[in-house]
Each structure stands twice: as C-alpha cells, then as structure tokens.
Amino acid sequence: LTVADEGALLAGAVQPAGEDRLRESLQNIAERGSPAVRARAVKMLDWLALSLAERAAQWPAWRDLFCNMNGAPTAAQNLVNDRLRAAAPGLADAVDAAQAHVLAIEDQRAALAQMAATAALVRLAGPVAARYAAFKEEAGFLDYADLIGRTAALLAAERVGWVLYKLDGGLDHLLIDEAQDTAPAQWRIAQALSGEFFAGAGAREARRTVFAVGDAKQSIYSFQGADPNALGPARDAWRDAVTRAGETWREVPLDVSFRSTAPVLQLVDAVFADGEARRGVVAEGATLRHFAARAGAAGRVDLWPLLVPAAEDGAEPKERPAPERLATALAAWIAGRLAQATPLPSRGPLRAGDILVLVRQRDGFSAALVRALKAQGVKIAGLDRLSLTEQPAAADLLTLCDVLLLPEDELSLAALLVSPLGGLGDESLMALALGRREGLWPTLLARAGERPEWRAAADFLRALRARVDFTTPYALLAEALGRLGGRARLYARLGPEAAEPVDEFLAAARAYAATHPPSLQGFVHWLRGAGAEVKRAPEAAGDAVRIMTVHGAKGLQAPLVILPDTTRLPPAEKSPLFWTPDPLGGGEVPLWSPRKEMRAVLFSQAVLAEKALRQEEYNRLLYVALTRAEDWLVVCGWQGKRAASEASWYRLIERGMARLPGAAEEPCPELDRHGEMRRRFFATPQTAPAAAPGPEAAVPPPPLPGFVGRAPAWQPAPPPPEPVLPQPLAPSRPEGVEDGPLPAA
C-alpha cells in the first residue's frame, strides 16, 4: 500500500497515465468496433469527460466497464472485438493498460478494506488474548501451546547449557517417533536438547545418539501444527552435525511393510504412481514402491461400485438416501462374512475384532452404520469418539437437571417422566396430563397417590428438588443414580452400554466442580456449550467391529479394512484468517477477509497456497487409510446428484485398480441383486505356510463394578465397610522438633 485511505487512492487513480492516447483509441473503437464494444467505448468516453472529483465519485461505474460482477477482468474481446484487434493491432494497447490500471487500483482498495478489517480484529482480539492470558495465570493453567513455547524458551541458546547441567548431564540418547507430525517449534526443542551431542569431547565418556523415525507420506496432523516440510531441514541439520563430528550417520528408507500383504501394497503403489495423487506423497522425480515382509501371504482388494441417488419417480415409493443404503448393505455383508466364518488364508476365520471401518468424519453415515450393525446382531465397539450430550443416558440426565432447575418446563418434565428415570409409559403420561387444569408438575404432586409409578416419580423428583440448592452437581447426580436407583433404571432399559455415558457424565460433573463454582445451572450450561467428548481406547474394543476416523486410526491396523467414505473432497477454507510473512521484517502478520470483495492479491495467494496444502494432506490421508489394511481392503462409497470428482479418493483408487494387470470383475450382489452392478477385485493366493491358528479363547468382557448391580433388576450392591483411617506419616520430619516424635517409617 502506498496510500493511507481510499480517498487518496482514488484521487490519484482517476487520472490514468496516457489519458490522451486512451481517449483517442476509444474514439476509434466507438466508430469502428462491434455494437457492444462501441457502446462500452462511449461509456468510457463519458467518464473521461467528467471532472476529477466527479470521476472519483463515479469510480464504480468506471470499474464495472473493465470488470464483471464477480470482480474478474472483462474478457479482452468485450473491450476490443477480435476483428478490430486484427485490423489495428496497436489500438487496444491503451484500453488494455487502462484495464490493468483499474485492476491494480481495485486490489489496492481491497487491501485497504482488508487492512481496516484486520486492524479491527486485532483491536478486538488484543483484550481477549490478554484476558485469556490473565485467566490462565490466575488459575495456574497452561495450554498445549504454552508448554511448547515455555520449553523452547527454557532451552534457548543462552540457557540450554544450564538446563543440561541441571539434568546432571544424563541425556545421552534422543528418540523421536512420528517425526513427520512434529511442529517447527517442537523441532527447535529437539535440536536444542541434542545441540551438545556432536559438539566435541564431553566431560565424561559417552556415545550419544539420535534416533528419529518419520515418514512424510503419513503427515496428517496439520491442524496440530505439524509440518512435513520441516522434516527435511531437521534431518539435514543433524546429518551435517554428525558428519562434522566424524560420527556415523545412517538413513534407512521405509519401503518394507510388515503389516500389509502384496495386493494392498501393489494398489498403494498404483494409486500414487502418477497424477494429482502424487502431490504431497511422492517427491518430484521419485517412484513409490513398497515391499511386503509377509511374502507369500494371501491378500485381496475389492472396489465396489458407487451407490447413486435413487431416481425421482412419483409413481414409486421414495427410496432411502444412498449413504443409508450403503450402511445397510455393508452391515449385511459384514454379518454374512462373520456368520460364514469367512477364512483369511494367512490367519484363520474372520472375527468381528478383525474388522476396522475407516470414515472421514463422524457424521450421519457413521451413526447409520452403527444402527445397521446392531440390527444385524454384530458386536460393535461403536465410534472411537462420541459426544456425551448425544448419548441417550446422558440426555436423560441432562433433562433431569433441566427439570430440577425449572419444573415448570412441561416439555422437559414430560420427557423425563417417560424416560427410564421417570418410569412412566406413554399411556400413563397421557392419563396424567390430558384434561388437567394446572401445570404438569403440580398435577403430578396432587395425583401421586393414584398410581404407583406416579408416586415413584414424584418421590424421586421431590427428594432431588429438596437438595438441588444445597449440594454440588456431582453429589446430586450421585444420589439420583445411586440411593434413588436412577442408574439401575437406566441400565434396565438401555442395557450395559449406558454404563460409559453415565460414568462420563459423573466425571464431567466432578471436573466442572474442580474449576467452577458448584452450580447445577452453570454445569448444564457448561456441558452443553463444551459438548464433552468421550474418547474410546481402540485397543480396548475386544472382539468387536471398530468404526474410526482415519486420523484416529493412525498407528493401528486390522486384517480387514473397509473404506466407505471415499467421495468427500477436502473442506473449503476453514477461516477467512491467514498468517502471511511480514515483508517488512521477521515473523508473520494476520490477514482477515470477512467478505470476498476484501480479498487482495496477497490474500488470494494465501488462499490458493492453503488449498494446495489441504489437497496434499488429503492425499496423505488416503495413503494412511490404505496402509491400515493387513490382508483385505474393501473400498466403496456413494455419490450425490453430481458425479464423484476425479480428485476424490474413489476415483484415485479406481484409476489405481485399472493399473493393476491382474484385476478382475465379478457381480456385486450386496448392492444389486440383479447382477448389473459389478465390482473389481485383485487377489493373490496363499503360497507361504499359513500361521498355525492359536487356541480361540473367548475373552469375557470385564465385569461391571458391584455398585451397578446385575441384570435384569440392576439393584446396586451395598458398599463395603470403610477402612479405618491410617495414622498419617511424616518421614521427612527431623528428629527432636516441637511437633512430636518421628513416626516409624
């Protein structure tokens, strides 16, 4: 920017260089051009006939003569038609220069608007950031960025020697795992810790080493600050330090897979052989090639046809959406494979725990697949993460909290009464609610003696209402679930799978009380606003089908991996805020563009660069998803009204399958009973000796604690007697002090 405001910018813009030549060219165009071109030239001459002040006031009209409604430059043939350009080659030069001038001024205008918006954002964000920092300081909290930043500051060049001295010089070996997901700030910490490793002879004899494992093809955590481009410079810095010190440096390529069979690896190599799929995965000029350590093990890759939306025909009943139909088909196929004990030649019959379904995100398809698998009777571990407030048991507890806070909320009270905690059926609720002259809550209290279930519900709520203003949310919920039998009623209707949401709900109440005043209303507001998320440990799934996101499955594997979510493209830019290098100094500066017309060229370049990075990570995410499969990979998907994009995972895999010479086709009855839809598959037989199957020992699920009871009544067991309080010990107390004798250790 060369001006401070738009007025000064337009004052210098309304008198373009070479105005006399431009006017002369426009007069010729107005006489010799095509009708539309002549009309535009006349409008340009009218604007040039205005005074400078009038030109500035009517700048939008001048701009619209050179730009379309989207702000893009008007096509050259609409300024000077092609025949006239050919007849008089130099005639259009002045008009083209005027258009370039207008575009440059428009970029300056957008930059001014963007600068003002960014300055406003910074003015707003400054106090917010200061208040957040003060809150953390007052509460003694550190977030993840604080841990990284303060550690890096502690290991700054002027302090690292002191820190290593305080470590007693005992740091000899540095191991870095998943190095491709390391952020630049974390690299600075690692390099500071190893800075003295290869600086020369030390005060003691020790062989110091750095062992780093990283694969840039698997860097998928950019939202956590990971930068795969930082892996190379870190490696080069260590290599230079090691070679200068005369020590041994080894680079070991990661091209041998100890997980996947040959068909899976051949597909991976074929998918990333050329085209857009290589971006972000394979370096320029390099070739991706994997070798299977499990030589001779049988493997298979299936590519199902895409499910398309049903044809809209008013004469036939409306068919379910394609994602739901695919979920149903997959569940039936999985149930069939498990019922038939489909053999995996290299390991034995297929079990539920051998199946891993990878999705892009937890959405409606994931929920539909969970429902379909449960309907088929397949053991399922559920989603790897779940929102606590969306679980039925937790929703019932939240409704209970709403009723305790405001029993006059009749919708919440009615929902609670027909929940497991209320114990009423729909008919019982209608008998209570219909024809009443008062609110539902006073009606329940007045008529409680007429039916046992009404009495139980009224006593349950009265007991809790009497304590709601005098105890913590955790104590209130513990009483509702324990002494008043709420947990038993929840389990009796929802089953043992309600145990986890109930326990997590109690844990959330306890966590809230640790950092907030113990108010029930505050807890409900906090829980709904925070959307507490429960993360399941994937290794604790047992013999059950797992459904996970690709990010969550990083580092895991399964004999059979299913990829159903393969047509979704990378999301658009997540935020109109970008950080760009400061051209006047070090560091980065923010650029905020709340509206498209505020996007200057610098911002548009940042948008395009960020889009390219998203596409590269999208390709790496596909690489991670494909390489989770050990023996069998199944790829399927659905598409909307538009055909799947050529950049989608499905199309990339489809082109990879076409490159495999041994791929064949067969009917796909799971999706089409008429045999018209066909799937492609690529398989190799078992040539190596199969591993001897171990004895199948049924692993019983871990028993629930005694306080939850047992089915079907789920009556809680009495608590054990409390132990006697032990005598407090103080072994660090010196002898002979006034506080008394030293207790025995």
Side-chain angles (χ1 to χ4, degrees), residues 488-489 491-493 709-715:
R489 295 198 289 274
Y491 290 2
R493 184 181 300 185
R710 294 291 180 268
W714 294 101
Q715 293 299 325

Side-chain angles (χ1 to χ4, degrees), residues 170-303:
L171 190 62
D172 293 332
H173 307 285
L174 183 63
L175 169 62
I176 302 175
D177 195 15
E178 301 291 351
Q180 74 280 350
D181 294 323
T182 304
Q186 295 168 320
W187 277 121
R188 290 195 291 272
I189 295 174
Q191 290 170 338
L193 288 174
S194 63
E196 298 295 320
F197 278 22
F198 313 107
R204 60 187 178 87
E205 291 293 332
R207 182 174 176 82
R208 296 176 171 179
T209 62
V210 173
F211 184 87
V213 181
D215 183 4
K217 301 188 295 298
Q218 300 190 47
S219 179
I220 57 174
Y221 291 104
S222 63
F223 58 88
Q224 294 181 350
D227 183 6
N229 295 323
L231 182 61
R235 175 200 59 206
D236 296 342
W238 269 319
R239 179 178 55 203
D240 294 344
V242 170
T243 53
R244 282 199 305 267
E247 299 291 343
T248 304
W249 171 263
R250 295 190 184 95
E251 288 189 38
V252 181
L254 300 177
D255 53 7
V256 177
S257 173
F258 295 87
R259 173 189 298 134
S260 304
T261 53
V264 176
L265 296 177
Q266 290 177 39
L267 174 67
V268 172
D269 293 344
V271 167
F272 300 100
D274 57 24
E276 291 297 314
R278 291 174 56 88
R279 291 176 50 189
V281 178
V282 187
E284 190 70 29
T287 301
L288 184 64
R289 187 178 180 187
H290 291 86
F291 301 92
R294 298 170 57 196
R300 180 180 172 108
V301 176
D302 286 2
L303 179 65

Side-chain angles (χ1 to χ4, degrees), residues 26-111:
L26 291 173
Q27 289 171 350
N28 283 320
I29 294 170
E31 296 173 359
R32 302 166 56 188
S34 62
V37 168
R38 289 202 303 269
R40 189 185 297 269
V42 170
K43 292 180 180 179
M44 292 180 182
L45 288 171
D46 291 342
W47 186 85
L48 289 173
L50 300 173
S51 66
L52 295 182
E54 292 172 330
R55 289 182 186 181
Q58 297 189 28
W59 174 264
W62 178 251
R63 175 202 60 205
D64 293 343
L65 294 172
F66 294 95
C67 303
N68 59 25
M69 59 185 304
N70 295 324
T74 300
Q77 63 267 26
N78 292 334
L79 297 176
V80 181
N81 53 296
D82 294 338
R83 180 176 296 180
L84 186 56
R85 283 179 182 268
L91 191 62
D93 292 347
V95 180
D96 294 341
Q99 184 183 41
H101 175 72
V102 168
L103 294 176
I105 296 301
E106 284 301 295
D107 179 59
Q108 294 273 299
R109 290 185 68 202

Side-chain angles (χ1 to χ4, degrees), residues 137 141-142 145-155 159 189:
E137 185 73 23
F141 291 160
L142 290 175
D146 293 332
L147 296 176
I148 299 298
R150 296 195 180 198
T151 304
L154 184 66
L155 296 174
R159 301 178 180 176
I189 295 174

